[in-house]
Amino acid sequence: MRWLLLALLCAFPMAALAQADIAPPTVVSQPSAVTPTTTQTVPRIGIMMMEPGEIFWERFGHDSVLVADPDTGETISYNFGFFDPTEPDFVSRFVRGDMRYRLAAVPYADDLVLYRAEGRGVSVLWLDLEAAQAREIATALAENARPENAFYRYDYFRDNCSTRVRDAIDRALAGGLQKQVVGRSQGLSWRDEALRLASPAPWMWLGFDIGLGPAADQPMTMWEQAFVPRRLADILVEAKNGEGRLLVHEREEILPHRIAPEPNAHALRWWLWGLWGIAIAIAIAWMGQRNAGSRVLGAILLPFWLVAGFIGALLLFLWFGTAHVMAWANHNLFVLNPLAWFALPGAWRTIRGRAPGRWAARVAQVIALCAVAGLLVRWVSAEPQANLHWIALLLPVHAAVAWVFWRGTPSR
């Protein structure tokens, strides 16, 4: 449960809390958290982009808004990625999908400490804005960072650290950024991006792939793709400001990226999963014909059904007990079914060399029929969940177990 919840819920990075005195790069000098106080000063606005890290909560990368005062050389990094794990209700909020994040005004140099130590690349996209727009962003962020205004309800896909940065820019452009991208799409889904970025961590990838439901398979607009910092950077580089010039007039590399780069997408070969499912089904049928083999089969089915039932129960909990919309109505319930727990006595009887029993045989048949129903639902759905590989793997397995249990364990 811990791994699946963490993979589902911690898709986005926790901002670095460490602070240290480091030499700032040439962008500004002597950075510190100071809000512009004079309307004569035009702050310089940049978007600081942090490359993905190696810890699971860093896999999606991160970003923040820089506000630099050209008169004093003082710079603030407005970072929407802070949360407090010591809050009394932190764990319950975490599980329910009701996380509270906050905006923090962090000294620019301090915000670089962790990224430098971890070898994560950092760059800044400096924006070409009108003076009034730059002042509006600086003023709005300073007001938003006040303790009474800093907290917001975090949604891992639709309202996160990156979308907050996107929205701050869009408000200054009077909706001009959204108008340029809202009707465009690259055909990517929420699942595509989650699996791509989680792929270096197999357990995280597995948690996303099993835990995300059909809502995660809807194609995103480019506006929605900005929940990933890299996609936001792509949007900003192509965008125009109010006067028709490129919104990003300079990209400055701050820290080199010294670890593995952000992964590219890889297509899932469902037919390969199906071949494995057929091979496992043949092995199950073979073991079911032999007394010693049936004992081994029972020893395999016992943990398999324990895990399958647990995952199914967890998927039901995410659906009916939490606000994680992307996990609702998950079609993987057809193949990872809580009913598997009711077949456990049959597995135990098989281990002891006895017939699995009529009850376990009936349950195994129902589980197999549910897997068939999952395939049919996918065929008739206008917007199917991308779980054909799981059906291809597990449907033959469930069918083979149902057949072996129906026939019963051979007598001695």
Side-chain angles (χ1 to χ4, degrees), residues 319-399:
W319 184 0
F320 293 105
T322 76
H324 299 295
V325 177
M326 291 295 180
W328 289 0
N330 196 318
H331 293 183
N332 285 326
L333 279 164
F334 286 110
V335 290
L336 295 167
N337 200 312
L339 291 175
W341 281 343
F342 293 97
L344 289 173
W348 178 247
R349 289 168 62 91
T350 304
I351 292 173
R352 299 177 64 186
R354 301 167 59 187
R358 182 177 299 177
W359 169 258
R362 292 284 178 84
V363 173
Q365 291 170 3
V366 171
I367 292 173
L369 289 175
C370 287
V372 173
L375 180 60
L376 294 177
V377 167
R378 193 181 191 285
W379 275 344
V380 300
S381 294
E383 297 175 337
Q385 181 172 323
N387 69 333
L388 182 57
H389 53 297
W390 287 110
I391 296 174
L393 174 67
L394 294 176
L395 192 156
V397 173
H398 292 316

Side-chain angles (χ1 to χ4, degrees), residues 254-312:
I254 306 301
L255 297 176
H257 194 62
R258 304 193 307 270
I259 56 180
E262 184 173 315
N264 295 319
H266 297 286
L268 280 172
R269 297 179 177 87
W270 67 266
W271 55 268
L272 186 59
W273 290 60
L275 290 177
W276 277 106
I278 293 171
I280 295 171
I282 292 172
I284 289 173
W286 180 84
M287 285 187 289
Q289 300 299 307
R290 291 157 177 80
N291 189 39
S294 64
R295 291 174 181 267
V296 174
L297 177 60
I300 294 172
L301 289 177
L302 194 65
F304 171 68
W305 277 338
L306 279 171
V307 173
F310 173 75
I311 293 175

